[in-house]
Amino acid sequence: MGGIDIIFRIAAVGILAAVVSTVLKQSGKDELGTIVSLAAVVITLLMVINLIAELFGTVRNLFSLY
């Protein structure tokens, strides 16, 4: 994944979650809005954890650590 690509993906997840959560909360479904927000946080964390794992792999290869 490219550097700017991941930023746009995270921003898209955040914007989509905010819109859906707001619509659900205004329609009286606060619990579902909270679940959508939580799901967006989990998806974003998974993206970031994948990037961190990739970073550690790159550092390991750079310093020839096994």
Side-chain angles (χ1 to χ4, degrees):
M1 284 187 209
I4 198 76
D5 182 47
I6 192 69
I7 293 172
F8 284 139
R9 286 182 186 210
I10 291 172
V13 169
I15 292 170
L16 183 64
V19 169
V20 171
S21 177
T22 302
V23 168
L24 285 171
K25 286 184 180 182
Q26 286 187 357
S27 67
K29 301 184 182 195
D30 293 336
E31 298 86 15
L32 287 177
T34 303
I35 290 173
V36 167
S37 297
L38 185 62
V41 168
V42 169
I43 290 170
T44 304
L45 283 176
L46 289 174
M47 284 187 215
V48 171
I49 288 171
N50 188 20
L51 285 174
I52 290 172
E54 197 175 303
L55 172 67
F56 284 148
T58 303
V59 169
R60 186 180 304 141
N61 288 336
L62 180 66
F63 292 110
S64 300
L65 301 174
Y66 296 102

